[in-house]
Amino acid sequence: MATETGTAQEVVHQAAALADHLPMLVVLVPFVAAPLVVVLGSRGLAWWLAFVASVVSTVIAAALLARVFDGSVISYAIGGWAPPLGIEYRIDAANAFVLLLVAGISTVILPYAKVSVAAEVPKKNHTLFYAAYLLCFTGLLGVTATGDAFNVFVFLEISSLSTYVLVAQGSYRDKRAFTAAYDYLIMGTIGATFFVIGIGFLYMATGTLNMADIADRIAEQGSNRTVRAAFAFIVVGMGLKAAVYPLHLWLPGAYTRAPSAITAFLAGTATKVAIYVLLRFFFSVFQPGFTFTVNTLEIIVIPLAILAMFAASFIAIFQNDFKRMLAYSSIAQIGYILLGVGLLTATGLTAGIAHLFNHGITKATLFMGVGAIVLRVGGSWYDRIDGLGRTMPWTSAAIVLGGLSLIGVPGTAGFISKWLLVQAALEKGWWPIALLVVASSLLAVVYVWRVVEALYLRVPQGRAAEATDPPLMMLIPLGLAALACIWFGFDTRVTIGASQMAAEGLLAGSAGMLDSVGASSALPLGAGH
Amino acid sequence: MDTGTAIFLSILIPFAAVFTNLIFRNSPNLRDGLTGAASVLAFLCVLVVLYNEGNGTSEEIVWFQVFPGIDLAFKVEPLGLLFAIIASGLWIVTHVYGIGYMRGNNESHHPRFFACFSFAIASAMGIAFAGNMFTLFLFYEALTISTYPLVAHKGTPEAIRGARTYLAILIGTSIGLQLVAVIWTWALAGTLDFTNGGILAGHIEGPMVAILLGLYAFGIGKAALMPFHRWLPAAMVAPTPVSALLHAVAVVKAGVFTMLKVGVYIFGIDFLAETGASEWLMWLAAFSILAASVVALTKDNLKARLAYSTVSQLSYITLGMALATTMGALGGGLHIATHAVGKITLFMCAGSIYVATHKTEISQMNGLGRAMPITYGAFLVGALSIIGLPPFAGSWSKWLLIVGAADAGQIVMIGVLMASSLLNVVYLLSVVGRGFFLPAADPGKHDHGHGGQDDHAPEGEASAMVWGPPVASAVLCLVLFFFAGDVAAFLAPIAEPAATAVAATN
């Protein structure tokens, strides 16, 4: 008995010790799985490894979010090397929420991807495909979890390089995927270069790479030309990755030509992570009170956001390809997120972060729906999707639910964030902005309804007439995502709760190194470090 | 059964009927039988709520919180209960009629039709019992979305165009204006609960009151206030049961019901009276009443004429709210009920004529009354009720509205109501007159636009399932005349506490 209790205690102790390493494990698990996939070289195992890694990351992300939901901050020093010299992982409500979004979407999409990828990518590439996918996934998680500016760049490149490969895999279905991937490569590299130049300037000005430490130094020395240049480079660089209008040119091509599962994954996660990095730099590295930030947001970001909401929506209306339409719609929706951020109020920031999540699941649903159509009909041109409401009823229903959420009809996730956004604008007294938000929602009605009419009010022809709903492996993730669009339209405890906490944390400015010590000492961190 | 459960069931039962229709898509009798049972059960649930309300057991029922401070909540109050009784009660009648019509006309896609229909009723129940503006807005949009497929039902280019107009105006106004108004209200008052006497007094003043009211008045597109009325005639491409229950009762009444709720529980009648913010709305409603009546005169298509008549009659209710007097609000509330029974009768008669003869234009209907006396008799009763002649229900609501106008000192409005009645006489009774007194058209001269359907010569009534329901609702027009006082007394509390509140502040 005694030994048994001893073992149990041992297990509990080890579990507790493991729990301390969660901030690193969330990134490490897929990172280790990626080379493992290549080394094992087995097609069957590749998917399983990716899926298991993704599930584990999701569980860890959920656990992390639960731990920081009260507004606390977890600071983790890699290898026990104390920051600012060592690399620090820093988890608060803002990035735990994004981690959960990224990992959750990956977990939902992978079962779907198994069938979809099998149909769109030749078998010989599958092993490497999943390895690249895992690297991309790792990169996105790493960018989000880390508290070190240079580490952001490293993970950013890991995710970007693997994304270029993944996008190019669409070339077996459509040769234009090569040019799309090449466009993305050029633009993405320019973005990353700008970003790393910005980091370089910051290092020059502060002598440190730890974000919290940089924040402290900037707060001490105040603004100077180097810091402002750094800010500009970082904003433009990340703006490119986030497809902030008018830096969005890579996005429509990449989203349209990439394999369906990759589009669904990237649309839900990649731009969202880039926006998260922007938020982190706007608010944590440069203080929210930093006048340069305020001016940039009000004079540059808000007008660009509004421009995106309208220009991209208009372009979306006139697309002839469902997938491409959704890509332009994404650019418009990024405008909403940035608008919320630009309002610089707690409600606005909450709206932006909530929309980051809600739009992530909405777009994942829609792109999965398109993927199902591509599988059955071979394309997503409007004339090919005619009448699919009759032959692919479940897929079409899921697309309609996603579409309603995209418009922001009450009872869907999209409505929640739009409500918050309008509320934020009104609270600030900027009622024209509120009217612009609802006006651009009406443009969404137009482009969504083109699809609804095609699906339900036309007669299916050609392959559409014989199409059926995709296999359950694809249909169930699609259905789950569609239900999530409805679920988060009613149950907002997690979305609004986490967004509010994240917004408060960000607006409180950087918890610089001093605060961070206080925050981490309040946590039951293991003695390991 | 307590009120909370009854409300829950009255929404859930029609919602469940959506799925029974889809699941049993291939067994029509079982499917339609289940929906019929659902309509009766939903009505019973509403009656339970009525019974409990009579015992004074009503309180707010919160399902769950959506936003911090905003709940999905339900609350029973007289206006909503009246709306729920009308919508669920007439659903039973219309369902019977709908089966007869859809089968008699060989329409396609029955499961989709009845599923969307049930969804619309569930949404209407949600609107009726909504405890705050947020909940109401949620179901309001659900009603728009669920009725869209019904308008587009036939799938013809005309139907698709009509459905586009329908959706564009209803979604455009509700998201573009009403949503802004709701969120603005929330930002101002910090609550969206329907409260006797309103929630806005003291939070907003000056011209902004009128602007906010404008956002609501135009944002509630379902009330068909001009110039946002085009969707209603456009919706007439839908099969007639839809026009009858949804576009004469559930959808449009949801609009004016929301309008009344906003006037009574968000602004408060007294607040509106003090600020005079609703005066412009009163004039616009008056314009809407007369203009729509005149347009109705010019329409030869029977359903289009009835649609414009509805636009006109809906503005009666908006006018009642905008008068900002107790009597006006009561008259508006009562008019929801009386116009509902009257107009559903007219629409079902129009459908009955269509099933029997495939005629849609009034000019083709000469002499039909002699062949279809039951349908035309019911039409006459409905028309007289709409015009406002005793002993039919419509006379009371018009009476109360006139009293309300007199209370407000708006003599012109009395004139408007009178003139509108005269116009009603012209455009409604001419249909009956043609039917009974003009000779039937020479069959050889039929409009060949309806080619191949001329075998539907006016030889008699369609099946009893088609003419029975309008007769039943015509009888209701008569019955309601004698119980209008009870309905008015039932509605009275909507304005009372506001009056006492003012008395207290004085």
Side-chain angles (χ1 to χ4, degrees):
Chain A
M1 282 301 285
T3 50
E4 266 178 38
T5 345
T7 342
Q9 274 173 351
E10 189 76 358
V11 168
V12 169
H13 184 73
Q14 279 180 352
L18 201 62
D20 294 333
H21 296 287
L22 289 183
M24 176 201 55
L25 282 174
V26 71
V27 184
L28 199 62
V29 170
F31 195 44
V32 170
L36 213 56
V37 164
V38 181
V39 170
L40 291 174
S42 148
R43 255 203 315 277
L45 272 179
W47 181 83
W48 277 107
L49 269 172
F51 184 63
V52 169
S54 175
V55 170
V56 171
S57 288
T58 310
V59 173
I60 297 176
L64 284 173
L65 182 60
R67 276 177 66 181
V68 297
F69 206 79
D70 56 355
S72 54
V73 177
I74 304 175
S75 169
Y76 177 88
I78 299 272
W81 296 88
L85 291 177
I87 292 171
E88 180 196 18
Y89 277 22
R90 241 179 120 79
I91 309 291
D92 60 9
N95 59 2
F97 191 43
V98 177
L99 285 176
L100 183 64
L101 172 73
V102 173
I105 287 187
S106 167
T107 303
V108 173
I109 283 179
L110 270 171
Y112 170 95
K114 191 165 198 256
V115 185
S116 176
V117 167
E120 293 179 16
V121 177
K123 261 189 184 170
K124 64 178 170 60
N125 289 7
H126 283 190
T127 318
L128 292 173
F129 181 92
Y130 286 111
Y133 176 88
L134 276 170
L135 282 178
C136 174
F137 182 52
T138 308
L140 293 174
L141 293 175
V143 166
T144 312
T146 188
D148 184 278
F150 193 77
N151 209 227
V152 171
F153 170 70
V154 171
F155 278 115
L156 188 73
E157 281 300 87
I158 292 179
S159 81
S160 298
L161 292 173
S162 44
T163 307
Y164 309 142
V165 174
L166 290 170
V167 170
Q169 293 302 306
S171 59
Y172 298 99
R173 189 172 67 80
D174 185 342
K175 284 272 176 278
R176 282 170 292 186
F178 283 129
T179 46
Y182 188 71
D183 275 354
Y184 190 13
L185 170 76
I186 300 294
M187 304 253 204
T189 307
I190 294 173
T193 310
F194 270 57
F195 182 71
V196 81
I197 291 174
I199 301 292
F201 277 132
L202 278 184
Y203 186 61
M204 204 165 105
T206 63
T208 176
L209 286 171
N210 181 290
M211 289 196 211
D213 203 24
I214 296 174
D216 279 349
R217 302 294 165 86
I218 293 178
E220 274 168 25
Q221 69 188 33
S223 169
N224 58 43
R225 198 168 288 171
T226 316
V227 170
R228 287 198 292 271
F231 180 82
F233 272 106
I234 288 170
V235 170
V236 173
M238 265 303 145
L240 253 166
K241 299 299 280 186
V244 174
Y245 193 90
L247 303 173
H248 65 279
L249 290 171
W250 58 270
L251 187 144
Y255 279 18
T256 315
R257 312 295 170 208
S260 308
I262 292 305
T263 307
F265 177 66
L266 290 181
T269 57
T271 49
K272 310 295 176 289
V273 167
I275 290 174
Y276 157 77
V277 175
L278 274 179
L279 287 181
R280 189 52 89 191
F281 274 88
F282 278 150
F283 294 106
S284 296
V285 175
F286 303 92
Q287 308 287 322
F290 181 44
T291 46
F292 204 58
T293 309
V294 176
N295 288 341
T296 307
L297 285 170
E298 286 190 350
I299 299 171
I300 299 176
V301 171
I302 289 185
L304 284 182
I306 291 170
L307 204 59
M309 280 155 45
F310 282 89
S313 297
F314 267 116
I315 300 171
I317 289 174
F318 296 107
Q319 293 305 308
N320 288 319
D321 185 331
F322 186 11
K323 214 174 171 187
R324 205 171 174 82
M325 177 279 270
L326 290 177
Y328 277 105
S329 145
S330 279
I331 298 165
Q333 302 285 330
I334 288 164
Y336 286 107
I337 300 173
L338 288 174
L339 178 61
V341 174
L343 290 173
L344 269 174
T345 59
T347 318
L349 203 50
T350 306
I353 298 168
H355 198 56
L356 194 137
F357 183 89
N358 289 337
H359 178 248
I361 55 173
T362 303
K363 259 309 146 49
T365 309
L366 284 165
F367 275 118
M368 278 200 267
V370 178
I373 290 177
V374 170
L375 179 77
R376 287 302 190 224
V377 192
S380 53
W381 290 80
Y382 279 143
D383 52 0
R384 292 209 195 166
I385 66 173
D386 281 353
L388 285 180
R390 207 168 306 167
T391 48
M392 299 175 71
W394 290 103
T395 309
S396 306
I399 289 175
V400 170
L401 288 183
L404 292 179
S405 180
L406 192 59
I407 298 171
V409 170
T412 60
F415 175 68
I416 300 294
S417 29
K418 258 172 216 177
W419 172 291
L420 288 173
L421 195 55
V422 173
Q423 189 188 332
L426 287 176
E427 273 174 7
K428 213 170 174 186
W430 290 3
W431 57 267
I433 301 266
L435 290 179
L436 288 173
V437 170
V438 293
S440 79
S441 297
L442 296 178
L443 294 176
V445 177
V446 179
Y447 60 67
V448 168
W449 232 260
R450 270 193 77 182
V451 174
V452 172
E453 280 189 1
L455 288 177
Y456 284 94
L457 296 177
R458 306 233 176 88
V459 183
Q461 276 153 0
R463 285 177 71 179
E466 292 132 37
T468 50
D469 273 317
L472 284 181
M473 269 294 258
M474 283 173 86
L475 201 54
I476 290 172
L478 174 61
L480 281 179
L483 287 181
C485 290
I486 302 294
W487 176 267
F488 288 112
F490 288 101
D491 184 352
T492 59
R493 282 170 302 183
V494 173
T495 47
I496 294 189
S499 307
Q500 265 179 340
M501 196 48 76
E504 274 170 31
L506 287 171
L507 279 178
S510 142
M513 287 303 290
L514 295 171
D515 297 338
S516 111
V517 174
S520 55
S521 65
L523 286 162
L525 288 178
H529 43 127
Chain B
M1 187 160 47
D2 67 336
T3 306
T5 320
I7 291 179
F8 180 66
L9 285 178
S10 70
I11 297 171
L12 192 72
I13 290 172
F15 191 62
V18 175
F19 296 98
T20 58
N21 271 304
L22 294 177
I23 293 167
F24 302 110
R25 55 173 66 222
N26 295 321
S27 33
N29 289 331
L30 175 65
R31 190 186 66 214
D32 293 344
L34 280 173
T35 311
S39 69
V40 173
L41 282 175
F43 184 58
L44 288 177
C45 287
V46 175
L47 289 185
V48 169
V49 177
L50 174 67
Y51 174 79
N52 289 348
E53 169 75 350
N55 293 334
T57 52
S58 121
E59 51 191 51
E60 190 173 62
I61 298 116
V62 176
W63 279 8
F64 50 83
Q65 178 172 301
V66 178
F67 289 100
I70 301 180
D71 302 317
L72 195 66
F74 298 91
K75 197 174 164 188
V76 184
E77 49 80 45
L79 268 179
L81 193 48
L82 180 71
F83 179 50
I85 293 171
I86 296 166
S88 62
L90 291 178
W91 186 28
I92 304 176
V93 182
T94 318
H95 183 62
V96 174
Y97 178 78
I99 298 170
Y101 182 93
M102 297 300 279
R103 293 187 184 181
N105 256 333
N106 296 322
E107 296 268 358
S108 60
H109 296 100
H110 288 209
R112 184 177 84 190
F113 179 84
F114 286 109
C116 291
F117 210 107
S118 307
F119 201 138
I121 297 295
S123 314
M125 292 293 122
I127 292 174
F129 290 125
N132 57 41
M133 200 59 212
F134 173 80
T135 311
L136 196 153
F137 185 71
L138 184 89
F139 285 103
Y140 181 98
E141 292 294 51
L143 185 57
T144 308
I145 305 277
S146 60
T147 46
Y148 166 82
L150 295 171
V151 178
H153 186 79
K154 286 182 182 156
T156 58
E158 190 199 2
I160 293 174
R161 236 186 356 263
R164 259 186 211 162
T165 312
Y166 183 79
L167 194 79
I169 296 183
L170 288 186
I171 289 271
T173 51
S174 64
I175 290 188
L177 304 170
Q178 195 190 150
L179 179 61
V180 178
V182 174
I183 300 178
W184 191 3
T185 307
W186 164 244
L188 286 172
T191 176
L192 287 174
D193 292 345
F194 292 127
T195 313
N196 278 316
I199 53 176
L200 280 172
H203 295 291
I204 183 173
E205 55 190 12
M208 295 315 263
V209 185
I211 292 176
L212 181 57
L213 184 69
L215 282 177
Y216 273 116
F218 292 119
I220 302 168
K222 289 195 172 88
L225 190 65
M226 282 184 169
F228 293 115
H229 65 285
R230 280 285 312 143
W231 64 271
L232 187 53
M236 291 301 139
V237 294
T240 306
V242 176
S243 310
L245 182 59
L246 298 177
H247 299 126
V249 182
V251 173
V252 292
K253 290 304 171 336
V256 285
F257 168 74
T258 309
M259 195 80 96
L260 274 179
K261 284 275 243 193
V262 167
V264 174
Y265 297 120
I266 298 286
F267 285 90
I269 291 293
D270 296 307
F271 182 57
L272 283 180
E274 278 165 28
T275 53
S278 61
E279 192 158 339
W280 67 271
L281 183 59
M282 179 186 77
W283 288 103
L284 184 67
F287 170 78
S288 212
I289 289 172
L290 292 180
S293 293
V294 172
V295 176
L297 275 177
T298 67
K299 293 289 170 188
D300 189 34
N301 183 296
L302 180 54
K303 278 174 77 180
R305 183 175 287 191
L306 293 179
Y308 273 101
S309 163
T310 306
V311 173
S312 161
Q313 298 281 325
L314 290 174
S315 286
Y316 277 44
I317 300 164
T318 306
L319 175 67
M321 185 271 271
L323 284 170
T325 58
T326 308
M327 278 300 164
L330 276 185
L334 188 59
H335 201 65
I336 289 185
T338 59
H339 175 251
V341 287
K343 196 45 76 54
I344 199 173
T345 309
L346 296 184
F347 267 112
M348 288 198 286
C349 290
S352 170
I353 294 170
Y354 180 69
V355 172
T357 66
H358 274 260
K359 289 195 167 97
T360 54
E361 308 302 306
I362 294 162
S363 56
Q364 301 167 350
M365 294 178 185
N366 292 348
L368 271 186
R370 290 192 297 278
M372 307 176 68
I374 306 176
T375 300
Y376 269 76
F379 192 95
L380 178 63
V381 172
L384 293 177
S385 180
I386 299 281
I387 293 164
L389 289 179
F392 300 106
S395 53
W396 282 122
S397 50
K398 207 164 266 191
W399 168 261
L400 281 180
L401 285 170
I402 290 171
V403 174
D407 278 354
Q410 301 288 354
I411 306 302
V412 183
M413 292 303 134
I414 299 179
V416 167
L417 291 169
M418 293 301 175
S420 163
S421 290
L422 290 177
L423 288 166
N424 289 347
V425 171
V426 180
Y427 68 71
L428 287 177
L429 289 190
S430 66
V431 178
V432 184
R434 275 169 179 275
F436 280 121
F437 302 121
L438 287 187
D442 179 4
K445 280 187 184 172
H446 267 306
D447 176 5
H448 285 280
H450 299 274
Q453 294 170 342
D454 281 349
D455 46 284
H456 289 273
E459 280 166 4
E461 299 279 355
S463 73
M465 265 181 124
V466 176
W467 60 254
V471 169
S473 60
V475 171
L476 264 179
C477 288
L478 185 64
V479 172
L480 202 55
F481 175 79
F482 296 101
F483 293 98
D486 296 326
V487 178
F490 175 69
L491 286 179
I494 62 172
E496 264 173 13
T500 48
V502 169
T505 52
N506 288 346

